[in-house]
Structures are given as C-alpha cells and as structure tokens.
Amino acid sequence: MVNEIIVDVGSEETRVALLEDKELVEIYIERPYHERLVGNIYRGKVSSVLPGMQAAFIDIGFEKNAFLYVGDAIPQKDFSEEEEEGGHDYRGYNIDELLRPGQEITVQVVKEPIGTKGPRVTTHITLPGRHLVLLPNADYVGVSRRIENDGERSKLKKVAENIKPKDMGLIVRTASEGKSEEDFSQDLNFLIKLWDKIKQKERSGPVPRCIHKDVNLIYRTVRDLFTWNVDKFIINDRQQYQKVLELVDMISPALRLRVEYFSKNYDLFEYYQIESRISKALARKVWLKCGGYLIIDKTEALTVIDVNTGKYVGGSNLEDTVLKTNIDAAKEIAKQIRLRDIGGIIIIDFIDMTEQEHRQMVLDALRHALKRDRTKTTVVGMTGLGLIEMTRKKVRQELSSVMNIDCPYCEGTGKILAPHSIARHIEKEIGHYFSQSIAHAIQVEVHPSVASILTGADMHVLTELESAYNRKIVIKPSNDVRHEELKIREVDINTLVC
C-alpha cells in the first residue's frame, strides 16, 4: 500500500490530506481565524458545580464555559492503564467533594466546542511527543493499541518502564514500533522540560489564562502522521517545506528523503484529484462499487447510515446479493466515518439478512475495516431490529461542519415548502396587503414554480382573488426571487395592458 501526505498551504487555510493507494482517507483543515483548542492547557476557575450531573463548568476564558465530568476530575493516579482504557468506576466519587466554586484548576481541552456546547476538559493532562506521550499526573505505562504484535508490545512496555519518570506515566505511540530505548531519550527529555515550563506558568498570572498551546497543523502532521508507513510527504509552500525538513531532522532524519516540495504551477489538491473527493465526502448519497449506495444522515443526537442495493441485482440468489452489498457497504462505511470524522453514536441499517452466519460476516468486515481508523471506535453489536450500533470518539467538528454552513433558506433541514403551500401563503399575504392599502392594482413578484400555481388552471386562483378584493392583481414570475419569497408593489392600473 502506498501512503502519501499532501499539504496544501494557503493564506486562508492549511489543508492536510492523507491518501492510501490514491484514495483520500483523512482530511484536516486549520484556519488562522479559527483557534484550535484541543490539546491546549488552561489555568481555569470553577464556575459552578452540578452534583445532579456529576459535572462542573470551568471558566477558561471563552464565551462558553468548559464542561468537566467527574471521571475527568478524579486524580489520574487513582487508576491503572486498564481502567483508563475500559472506563473508570466513578461510584464513591462525588463532584462536589472534588471541586468547589471559585477554585482554581488546571485543565486540558479534549473536545472542541461543537454546536451549542462548550469545550470538554480534563485534569488528566497528556503531552504527546514523537514516540511517547507523557502523563504527568498518572503512574502507569501503556502501549498504543495499534501495535498488535504481542512480542513487540511486551518489549516496548519494558523499555518504557525502565525510563519512566517517578510518579509519572508514559504511553508508547504507534511510531515507536521497532524502536529502542535510545530513540526514546530525546523525546522524553523534551516532554519533561515542557511539563516543567507549564508548571512554572501555572504558579502565577491572571485566571483564567492559557498556559500551553498545542502546535500547529503542519507540526502535528509531522509528529503524529509522518511515520515509516508514509512513502511521500508533499507540500506546496517553500517556507513551510524548509520548516518540515528541520522538524524531520530533529525527530526522524531518515525520513528526510521522503519530503517533497511541489513546485508545479498547478493547484496541489486538483493535481492529486483531492478536491473532487472532498465534494463526494460531503454528499448525502455515496455509491458503492457493486452498484448499491449509502445514505448518510446527521441528527443532533446521532448519525444514521442506510444501506440500499441500488443498481446491484446480483445473481440468482437473493441472500448472496444482500451479503455482497452489505460487505461492500461495511468497508465503505468505515472509510466514510474516518474521512468525514463522524463522532458519537452511529446507527447502521444494513439490508435485512436471515442467515446468522451472514450477519456475523458483515460485523466482522466492519470491525476489520475500522482497524485503520486511529480514532477509537466501538462496535456494540446488532439490535433486535437488525441495526448495527457503534460509537466513535468525538474530538473535533465533523468535516461537514467545518466546510458547510446551514442553508439560510431551509435552515439546515434540506426541505422547503412545496409550491402549492407557498401559493396558499401568498394568497393570505395579498389579502393582508389589501387590508392595509387602498391600491387599485398590485404586482406580485414570485418564483416561477409558484407563479404557475397562481396563474394555472385557467387562472381560477387569480380570478377568485381579484373578485374577492375587487382589485387588479398581476403575477410576475422571477428567478431572482427565492421559492418562499414574494415582492408586492403598487402599480398604476392605467398602465396595465388588458
């Protein structure tokens, strides 16, 4: 498999695309006017404590207070690696015993503000490096779940335990696979010095304030994504290209030859056909290679994905046709979830299958395809209605939220009133206008689809309106008027041509 990182640097935004065998699988966008919060560390103040919700709101200096759940307020040293992975048992802990209003507290943002919700924060600080993640408030060693070889996991865990600072924790990152203790030393020294600086900033200054900002998108891409599995790192900005080379020289010099400057007088994303793929990633309908298709709908609470056979008719066996479509859909769903960065609860409605063996095959195909996703996903299983339930950790806004805004006409519903409904509304508006005006004639400018309703069927609607109000009404179709809009103005009846 050929993996490439494509970095498009522009004045308004920087975009990073991850390609696997020429297929777009991840896209990241950073804009200078939109501050990224995840990873930032703040010295905040407890605004309010809510025992009924086992949570607190923390003022970190933004319009919306940050949300701190009880599990993220419990001292991290109270837990082991297994408890961190599997979830804490919060029984026996009360938020009002851990925090009080007005108390100063150091927190790190773990989830961006989304919609009406403020950012989510934790007291469980993590400082990521190239090979290691330092956990200043923990006391255990963990290994990335993406390193699957048991022997390698054991070796790396032993190395990390040997160098682990006293009363701190370490997580070995995926990029550490095959590395030795020497490779970790520089990384660990940098992270310890960084933590010392943060602790110094924590001691004095106004509250709330930011005491550590995570690095920009290009630096994070080099640190987190540019590993031996990536064949090319291509960037179109000469200045940033030089900075990337400097970063690579510091953290992994052997990868320097894989960094390329894109000097062609051509749009980088167009050259690699990424723009068209982004457009598809925003579409509601996604076609499968077999001829079936997916419908992806987002609600406030969850994302629903519906699988349909579409053009695919298969062979002579219906069950085989359904199985083939569902397995293709499972692979594409995993890709779309990762590309669109869909988080939270996800419900998948596969085509009904009667064979239990086929259901398991589809579940297995979905779980296998999700292994490529660096974000934690959990496939819960199949409900009694045959729906697949799964969750995916929500950290950032989804791609659609970053690139799209709600339609000002339909207000994000994707629906507008039918022409007949609009025509009925316009009839009432005309009546309201005449009740407040002595005009003998008016012109009503409307969308052509609505005009055809008002003037169609021998113009009986228009005739009835003129008869009811004893006034002259002229309907003017106009493509410059929105579907639900109308413009009424008084006209001179003597100028109207009969």
Side-chain angles (χ1 to χ4, degrees):
M1 179 180 289
V2 177
N3 296 330
E4 297 167 302
I5 293 174
I6 314 296
V7 183
D8 177 31
V9 181
S11 58
E12 293 298 316
E13 64 182 17
T14 298
R15 299 183 295 176
V16 173
L18 178 59
L19 306 183
E20 292 178 355
D21 280 344
K22 306 298 181 184
E23 283 290 319
L24 178 65
V25 293
E26 293 179 20
I27 180 80
Y28 300 92
I29 299 171
E30 187 170 84
R31 297 174 178 134
Y33 55 84
H34 180 76
E35 184 179 4
R36 180 182 186 269
L37 302 184
V38 168
N40 291 357
I41 300 175
Y42 295 86
R43 187 66 175 168
K45 185 176 289 186
V46 179
S47 175
S48 59
V49 177
L50 309 173
M53 293 178 63
Q54 282 286 63
F57 285 104
I58 314 296
D59 179 8
I60 61 172
F62 292 91
E63 182 181 352
K64 294 177 183 174
N65 286 337
F67 183 82
L68 176 65
Y69 185 58
V70 64
D72 294 311
I74 299 168
Q76 200 172 9
K77 286 186 171 63
D78 288 5
F79 300 100
S80 65
E81 178 199 358
E82 289 74 20
E83 288 173 309
E84 288 279 8
E85 277 290 317
H88 308 321
D89 183 359
Y90 305 134
R91 287 173 297 184
Y93 293 95
N94 292 311
I95 192 70
D96 53 357
E97 293 173 356
L98 297 169
L99 300 171
R100 65 183 185 279
Q103 176 183 342
E104 292 187 10
I105 184 173
T106 298
V107 293
Q108 185 173 36
V109 178
V110 293
K111 186 186 293 185
E112 295 282 350
I114 299 173
T116 58
K117 298 177 181 177
R120 181 167 173 174
V121 295
T122 181
T123 60
H124 303 171
I125 307 297
T126 59
L127 297 177
R130 172 67 169 179
H131 301 296
L132 300 170
V133 177
L134 180 67
L135 311 175
N137 301 327
D139 194 9
Y140 63 82
V141 170
V143 180
S144 166
R145 61 190 177 92
R146 291 176 67 83
I147 299 176
E148 298 179 346
N149 184 284
D150 291 336
E152 182 68 12
R153 290 181 65 87
S154 298
K155 185 200 87 173
L156 291 171
K157 187 164 188 175
K158 194 171 292 184
V159 169
E161 286 171 344
N162 288 339
I163 64 172
K164 184 182 84 68
K166 187 180 179 182
D167 296 329
M168 290 189 182
L170 288 177
I171 295 176
V172 181
R173 305 193 72 180
T174 309
S176 300
E177 195 165 3
K179 302 297 181 181
S180 64
E181 186 170 324
E182 293 177 10
D183 297 309
F184 294 160
S185 300
Q186 185 178 357
D187 214 21
L188 183 57
N189 290 335
F190 168 78
L191 294 174
I192 291 173
K193 288 178 182 177
L194 176 60
W195 178 240
D196 287 341
K197 286 182 181 178
I198 293 170
K199 293 298 288 181
Q200 288 174 16
K201 290 181 180 179
E202 185 183 46
R203 296 188 188 105
S204 62
V207 177
R209 69 185 183 278
C210 180
I211 56 178
H212 170 71
K213 277 193 175 183
D214 199 10
V215 291
N216 65 33
L217 178 57
I218 295 176
Y219 187 105
R220 293 197 309 273
T221 301
V222 175
R223 182 189 68 192
D224 301 339
L225 299 179
F226 193 24
T227 65
W228 282 104
N229 294 326
V230 176
D231 300 279
K232 289 182 180 180
F233 186 109
I234 302 166
I235 185 167
N236 64 348
D237 183 275
R238 174 67 72 177
Q239 186 178 358
Q240 294 298 330
Y241 165 71
Q242 293 298 335
K243 287 184 179 180
V244 168
L245 289 179
E246 291 172 11
L247 288 171
V248 172
D249 283 339
M250 284 192 296
I251 64 177
S252 192
L255 291 174
R256 182 185 174 93
L257 293 176
R258 301 189 184 188
V259 182
E260 295 181 12
Y261 171 61
F262 184 83
S263 59
K264 297 180 178 65
N265 188 23
Y266 200 82
D267 183 88
L268 178 60
F269 268 32
E270 288 286 357
Y271 185 83
Y272 283 92
Q273 299 177 341
I274 296 172
E275 293 290 4
S276 59
R277 294 184 182 125
I278 292 175
S279 297
K280 289 179 181 177
L282 298 171
R284 180 171 177 258
K285 178 184 279 191
V286 179
W287 287 98
L288 305 175
K289 292 179 180 178
C290 68
Y293 64 89
L294 311 175
I295 296 293
I296 303 176
D297 283 319
K298 173 74 178 171
T299 72
E300 185 72 22
L302 48 81
T303 300
V304 181
I305 303 175
D306 185 38
V307 182
N308 299 275
T309 52
K311 302 173 184 175
Y312 182 58
V313 294
S316 57
N317 188 304
L318 176 61
E319 276 292 314
D320 288 344
T321 302
V322 170
L323 177 62
K324 164 69 174 168
T325 305
N326 281 341
I327 288 179
D328 279 2
K331 296 174 183 176
E332 186 62 34
I333 286 168
K335 186 193 299 181
Q336 291 295 325
I337 287 172
R338 182 182 173 193
L339 175 57
R340 296 170 188 241
D341 209 2
I342 297 172
I345 300 170
I346 302 168
I347 302 295
I348 307 170
D349 185 9
F350 284 105
I351 303 167
D352 290 340
M353 295 170 285
T354 57
E355 301 275 349
Q356 180 58 38
E357 181 185 0
H358 288 182
R359 294 183 181 183
Q360 191 59 50
M361 288 171 69
V362 172
L363 268 172
D364 291 344
L366 178 62
R367 288 192 173 106
H368 180 74
L370 287 169
K371 285 185 177 180
R372 293 185 181 276
D373 195 347
R374 294 184 306 118
T375 301
K376 184 177 180 180
T377 58
T378 303
V379 179
V380 179
M382 190 171 287
T383 70
L385 294 174
L387 305 173
I388 300 291
E389 294 179 329
M390 66 172 287
T391 61
R392 186 173 185 269
K393 188 175 180 181
K394 186 185 290 184
V395 177
R396 297 170 294 274
Q397 289 188 329
E398 295 176 14
L399 179 63
S400 60
S401 298
V402 174
M403 298 198 67
N404 293 341
I405 61 170
D406 283 346
C407 169
Y409 307 127
C410 70
E411 297 181 344
T413 65
K415 305 285 186 182
I416 58 172
L417 285 173
H420 282 85
S421 299
I422 299 171
R424 178 59 180 155
H425 170 70
I426 287 173
E427 289 177 38
K428 293 181 179 180
E429 286 296 313
I430 290 172
H432 180 69
Y433 183 88
F434 281 143
S435 70
Q436 298 179 330
S437 171
I438 60 171
H440 295 291
I442 61 170
Q443 176 183 281
V444 183
E445 192 173 352
V446 294
H447 190 270
S449 63
V450 180
S452 65
I453 303 296
L454 294 169
T455 59
D458 298 326
M459 299 182 68
H460 80 275
V461 174
L462 190 58
T463 303
E464 288 177 6
L465 282 172
E466 290 181 330
S467 175
Y469 298 110
N470 195 27
R471 317 278 181 95
K472 181 65 179 176
I473 303 169
V474 178
I475 302 298
K476 180 184 177 183
S478 173
N479 285 310
D480 294 330
V481 178
R482 301 196 306 266
H483 282 78
E484 298 180 28
E485 188 182 13
L486 77 157
K487 295 178 181 179
I488 300 178
R489 70 180 183 89
E490 185 177 345
V491 294
D492 186 351
I493 195 169
N494 296 317
T495 63
L496 298 177
V497 179
C498 298

